Amino acid sequence: MKILKLIDNFNNSPKGKVVKSICYLLFSLMLVVTATFAWLASNVTTTSGGMAISVLDGGAYARYSAFYVSDINNKTISKKGQEVVSNAECLNVELRTYDKTFTAVNAYARVVVRIEVYNIDADNMPEGNGTKHLNVLLSRNSDLDTDTTSSTLGGVFSSVGQIGCYTSTTLGFNDENASIYNTIVDSYVAANNAQTFATVTNNVVSKQNTLSFDVAYTSAHIKTGEDNKACLFVYVVFDYNTELTNLYIDQNEASLAGSSDEANIKNDLSKVDIEFV
């Protein structure tokens, strides 16, 4: 019997329901594919939320797709593209459950979101061996963080999550899902530079409202994308932060152990701005 089957059997046993503590996160990215600034507030009634994403550069626009582990046993990597829901472009991104008991499975929770930036202004296109920069700014909606105190973490992504941002000169638009996912996750693990909104020092919780990533790119990063158009790929990795997630579980151990359901973590990310600098 496969080890993951044994884990699943334990997780569904009465003992497993008490011993393990898991979290679940669903992003619902509301995509803004124009160059205008936009804001869509998160939905506070469900685990999903609307995160506005915009490109602040003349006529530039973006397309999005997510790469994730859909089958742990077979290490299958699947791709999810944009879909229209209620006349809005959406990308639903789900992080797998976090398991404090069988920590090895948490590596499969990572999601890679590929941002394809098209119609970049000529001033922002690298020439020769030159390097250009853009800034990826992620913001959170602090109004959703109602459970956080000076000593406790609330049940939102900014309490337990971490984010990394990367580029690649080797990956192409039509590469295999596994190649894209594994290449970026390898970069994420090797860089070990993911950022968190939350910081805990001497049992005191503090949070910043934005995370900023400086992304350098050259002409080697400009690829052929959808409809044979030139584009720049930026990859964003969403993941659980082990220390923060375990702390959140420990702080809520009584309520989690007494529940037969998974602990839902709300998405409080509200906005992603991509700005060329």
Side-chain angles (χ1 to χ4, degrees):
M1 183 181 293
K2 295 182 178 180
I3 183 61
L4 292 173
K5 182 62 176 177
L6 292 171
I7 292 174
D8 184 63
N9 288 343
F10 177 84
N11 281 343
N12 291 313
S13 69
K15 180 180 179 181
K17 289 182 182 296
V18 174
V19 175
K20 73 185 181 68
S21 293
I22 51 183
C23 303
Y24 172 90
L25 175 67
L26 173 67
F27 289 113
S28 179
L29 310 185
M30 305 301 296
L31 306 178
V32 181
V33 292
T34 68
T36 58
F37 181 84
W39 176 289
L40 295 178
S42 294
N43 183 342
V44 300
T45 60
T46 69
T47 56
S48 63
M51 177 166 30
I53 305 182
S54 58
V55 182
L56 309 178
D57 174 49
Y61 66 94
R63 300 290 295 172
Y64 305 84
S65 51
F67 300 85
Y68 61 98
V69 180
S70 56
D71 186 324
I72 295 179
N73 281 316
N74 296 313
K75 310 298 189 294
T76 303
I77 308 299
S78 295
K79 175 184 177 182
K80 181 177 292 185
Q82 294 175 213
E83 56 184 330
V84 178
V85 178
S86 300
N87 297 318
E89 289 275 5
C90 297
L91 176 64
N92 290 319
V93 184
E94 176 184 319
L95 269 69
R96 283 182 170 273
T97 55
Y98 180 94
D99 198 313
K100 189 178 180 181
T101 303
F102 297 102
T103 56
V105 301
N106 296 327
Y108 300 106
R110 299 162 181 155
V111 169
V112 175
V113 173
R114 183 176 70 185
I115 305 173
E116 307 157 24
V117 185
Y118 294 93
N119 203 27
I120 300 173
D121 187 271
D123 291 339
N124 295 317
M125 290 293 285
E127 296 181 356
N129 295 322
T131 299
K132 295 287 187 177
H133 291 258
L134 62 80
N135 185 61
V136 178
L137 183 71
L138 292 96
S139 304
R140 73 183 186 96
N141 183 355
S142 58
D143 290 341
L144 297 182
D145 204 0
T146 56
D147 297 329
T148 296
T149 68
S150 60
S151 60
T152 61
L153 294 166
V156 292
F157 176 77
S158 63
S159 292
V160 300
Q162 64 182 33
I163 300 171
C165 191
Y166 310 93
T167 57
S168 171
T169 60
T170 60
L171 294 175
F173 181 71
N174 293 315
D175 283 353
E176 295 291 330
N177 295 341
S179 178
I180 294 172
Y181 182 89
N182 291 329
T183 297
I184 299 304
V185 167
D186 286 347
S187 296
Y188 163 78
V189 172
N192 192 30
N193 62 353
Q195 298 186 37
T196 63
F197 288 94
T199 303
V200 182
T201 305
N202 295 327
N203 296 319
V204 176
V205 175
S206 60
K207 281 190 178 181
Q208 52 190 359
N209 289 325
T210 61
L211 296 181
S212 180
F213 299 88
D214 176 76
V215 179
Y217 62 98
T218 66
S219 58
H221 291 96
I222 305 300
K223 305 293 183 179
T224 300
E226 191 175 54
D227 298 327
N228 293 319
K229 295 179 180 178
C231 73
L232 170 65
F233 295 145
V234 178
Y235 301 89
V236 182
V237 179
F238 295 91
D239 193 10
Y240 295 102
N241 178 277
T242 300
E243 292 183 2
L244 291 173
T245 307
N246 286 341
L247 176 60
Y248 170 78
I249 292 171
D250 290 342
Q251 291 177 342
N252 295 274
E253 183 176 5
S255 60
L256 291 175
S259 173
S260 60
D261 298 322
E262 298 169 355
N264 290 326
I265 301 297
K266 294 178 181 177
N267 172 27
D268 61 335
L269 299 184
S270 58
K271 183 162 59 102
V272 178
D273 288 331
I274 301 170
E275 184 172 14
F276 291 86
V277 296

